[in-house]
Structure formats: structure tokens, C-alpha cells
Amino acid sequence: MQSVRCALGYDNCVRQGANSIRDIFCGRVYQSLAVLFCMLLTVAIILNVQMEGEAEWFWYATFFHQGVKLYADMHLVLQPLYLLETNCWMLLIGRKCIPYEFLSLLHVLAMIIGMLLVLRESRWPDWQKALLLAACFPIAIQFNAYRFDDFHIVAECFVMYTLAALLMLARAKSLKRELVLVAALGVLSGMAATTDLTEGAALLVSAAICVPFLAQRRRGIASGLFLLVAALTAVAVVRLTGDTLHDYAFSSIFRAASAKGGTGPVLRGAIHGLWSNFSNIFRGGKQMLLCLSAIVAAGAAMKRFWHSSEAKIVWVQLGVAALMFAASPHVVRSEMLRGTLSALLSKFAQPVTQLIVLLVVGRWLDRKS
């Protein structure tokens, strides 16, 4: 009788587990395929590029584990959070190469989950979210020195989760939920600042600007809580290294800025990058921009004059893209296949995003006036 009860209990557990998995993927078939595509692309990049790395973070974590101070002894100019994470991972799985690289897959999975959380706020159907995910992921990782065993992807995970938390904050229905989300935003910003100082500082400032606009109740308290939690989180991460705040700030903030020519060039980098991206687009991507313009024009015409459904528009745009690709010169097709199109889109995304920010601010000021 006892064995029968155990068998029935086991069957119930298996059935409940199968139902849970089915609920997760129910209505998300295309998004699941997009996630699979992103993971396979990640594995290909790891095997072809990342395995030839210099093991920089591996040795930093090894020295740290042996008692060497990151900032007082090694005078490290990088931020500490990713190094602390690498050290914890090595304590768990050891120092073998293949298990060590599994951390990169976890980073990518965390980033994809963050992108899915942002997409969840949209009312688009499953296939549209899948297309956006599959298209945005290669653009997000398009960078000359991008690696999945580096701090860049960890910082971008914090960006994704911050965007998701801000969207949740905009529709929070109680003061308690607002304060919880604001505290979570402070933790994310503090951890981002101790992962990549430049991107983390930008995220901190952006979130600090958004919080009083998105919070509906006690905006002053919400802003103060955000800044307090962000500061405490950053201090707590630095304390985990065993270094003093003075040694940390001198090595990773002031020395890092001086290595790049001082704080002036660092602050001017965003403006310079805007004009640099524009010049690169029009100098090296005219034919690709022509293809993209034809795709956008076809979709806009179908929507404006024929009131076509979104599914038909996408199929027509894919057909236009195939025709433009086939009609392009061999050199252009080769550049597209080598990833130049992804690089062009990534350069195009930054100025467009900055212009959208100005548009949103302008509309908000017009609404308030």
C-alpha cells in the first residue's frame, strides 16, 4: 500500500511539472524558438571567439581568492562586482575550462529573460515579440570586444531588468509596491555602477530622472529611497572586496578617468559618439540604408493606403528584403552576411534613441503647459 501511495504521489508530481512547463510555453512557441536561436548563436560565438580569450577575469579572481587586494595591491581600474561573481562561480565549479564557460550561458539566459520581461509589457502577438527578440539580441551584442565572460553583458542585464522594473512602476497600484520597485531599482543601479562605471552611472541618472515621473504616490520619498538604496548597494559591493572606499575610488574612478584623458573626454563621449555614428552610417552604409528605407516604405504604404494587417505587412517586408538582397551587388551581400548590417543597425539605434528621448521630453512639456 505504501508503494502504491508513493507511485501515485510521483505520478502527480510529474503531471504537475508537465502542466507547469506547458503553461510556460503555452502561447509562446515563437518566443521559445527565438530564445533557442539566441542561445545557439551564443554557443557559436563562445566556441569560435571566447575560448581563445586571455582569461583576464580568471586570474583576477584567482589572485583575489589568494588574499590579494584588488585596489590597494593590484590597483585595478575596473569595477569589482563581476570579479566577485567570477570568484564565487570558481568556488562552486572549480577551475576547469568548460564548466567555467557555463557562466557565460547563464549571463545570456539572464539577459534574454530581461528582454522577455520588457516584451511582456507589450500587447503584440507571440510571433512579433519573437521577431523583435531575435533581431534585437544580435544588435545588442554587436561590439568589437564583446564577450560573454566579461562585465559588459552583466551591466546590460541590469539595464534590461531596470527597464522592466520601470514599466512595472508605471502601473503599480499601491504605495507598498511602488516602494518595493523603487528599492529594486536602487539595487540594480548600485550593482550596475559597480559593474561598469560609465554605463552604471548613466543608468543611475536615467532611473533617478524616471522615478519621480513614474511613481504616482510620495514621489519625494520614492526618489530619496532610490538614491539611498543605490548608494548603500554600491558601498556594500565595495566592502565585499576588503578594500577601503578611498583605495577603490582612487583606482577605479579617478585613475580610470585619467587613463582615458580625464573626465572631460569621458563626458563628451556621448556627444562625439552621436555624430560619429551618423557619419559612419552615411559614409559606409548607403546601400544598406536604401534597403532598409525600401522595407520601411513598403510597410508604411500598406498600412496607410491599403490598411493591411500587421501579418501581411511583415510578409511583404520580408519579400522586399529578399528582393533587395538578391539585387544587391556581391560585395554588399558579403558584408551583410559578415555582420555589417547588424553593425549598421547598432550605430543607427543610438542616435535614434537619443532623438526619441528628446521627442518624449518635448511631448511631456507640451502636455504640462
Side-chain angles (χ1 to χ4, degrees), residues 19-287:
N19 291 335
S20 300
I21 295 174
R22 184 187 61 188
D23 293 340
I24 292 174
F25 291 97
C26 181
R28 299 183 179 90
V29 176
Y30 293 107
Q31 291 181 71
S32 302
L33 293 176
V35 171
L36 179 61
F37 162 76
C38 295
M39 295 303 295
L40 291 176
L41 179 61
T42 299
V43 172
I45 294 175
I46 290 174
L47 294 177
N48 287 277
V49 179
Q50 190 164 300
M51 296 296 288
E52 299 180 358
E54 68 285 351
E56 173 185 6
W57 295 101
F58 174 88
W59 287 111
Y60 282 149
T62 300
F63 293 146
F64 173 73
H65 182 68
Q66 293 173 352
V68 178
K69 294 292 185 65
L70 300 179
Y71 302 102
D73 298 331
M74 287 194 291
H75 305 289
L76 188 69
V77 297
L78 301 172
Q79 295 301 308
L81 183 61
Y82 181 75
L83 193 150
L84 294 173
E85 181 197 21
T86 303
N87 179 61
C88 292
W89 181 252
M90 291 170 59
L91 291 176
L92 288 174
I93 55 90
R95 300 185 180 185
K96 294 183 179 180
C97 179
I98 299 300
Y100 176 80
E101 295 296 338
F102 274 105
L103 181 60
S104 300
L105 295 177
L106 294 179
H107 289 155
V108 175
L109 185 60
M111 181 178 177
I112 292 174
I113 292 174
M115 298 174 80
L116 290 175
L117 288 175
V118 176
L119 288 174
R120 188 182 63 175
E121 303 296 322
S122 171
R123 296 180 180 178
W124 287 2
D126 178 41
W127 66 271
Q128 286 186 336
K129 293 180 180 181
L131 283 176
L132 186 60
L133 176 62
C136 289
F137 181 77
I139 296 174
I141 64 174
Q142 210 295 317
F143 176 53
N144 294 335
Y146 203 95
R147 300 172 59 89
F148 301 115
D149 60 347
D150 195 41
F151 62 87
H152 290 97
I153 190 169
V154 178
E156 290 179 5
C157 287
F158 293 136
V159 173
M160 291 297 171
Y161 287 105
T162 297
L163 289 175
L166 287 172
L167 292 172
M168 295 177 189
L169 178 63
R171 54 183 177 81
K173 296 182 179 180
S174 64
L175 177 61
K176 179 180 179 181
R177 181 167 176 79
E178 281 189 355
L179 295 179
V180 170
L181 289 171
V182 168
L185 285 168
V187 173
L188 291 170
S189 296
M191 296 179 73
T194 52
T195 302
D196 183 352
L197 185 60
T198 304
E199 191 167 351
L203 182 66
L204 176 66
V205 173
S206 301
I209 294 173
C210 292
V211 164
F213 291 104
L214 297 179
Q216 302 298 321
R217 311 163 187 84
R218 304 291 181 90
R219 296 177 178 178
I221 295 178
S223 297
L225 177 64
F226 168 77
L227 295 175
L228 176 63
V229 173
L232 292 177
T233 301
V235 171
V237 172
V238 174
R239 289 296 187 186
L240 290 175
T241 64
D243 279 281
T244 64
L245 291 176
H246 175 270
D247 291 335
Y248 159 76
F250 179 77
S251 295
S252 67
I253 298 178
F254 301 112
R255 285 191 65 209
S258 63
K260 296 182 179 181
T263 56
V266 174
L267 296 176
R268 293 193 300 268
I271 300 176
H272 179 267
L274 175 64
W275 297 112
S276 176
N277 284 335
F278 269 126
S279 62
N280 290 334
I281 289 172
F282 290 104
R283 183 175 64 249
K286 294 180 180 178
Q287 292 177 320

Side-chain angles (χ1 to χ4, degrees), residues 269-326:
I271 300 176
H272 179 267
L274 175 64
W275 297 112
S276 176
N277 284 335
F278 269 126
S279 62
N280 290 334
I281 289 172
F282 290 104
R283 183 175 64 249
K286 294 180 180 178
Q287 292 177 320
M288 294 184 187
L289 281 177
L290 179 63
C291 297
L292 294 175
S293 300
I295 295 171
V296 173
M302 291 185 65
K303 189 68 174 180
R304 176 67 176 83
F305 299 107
W306 292 284
H307 305 287
S308 302
S309 64
E310 294 176 346
K312 291 182 179 179
I313 292 175
V314 170
W315 281 113
V316 170
Q317 287 180 322
L318 291 176
V320 172
L323 290 175
M324 297 293 291
F325 180 80

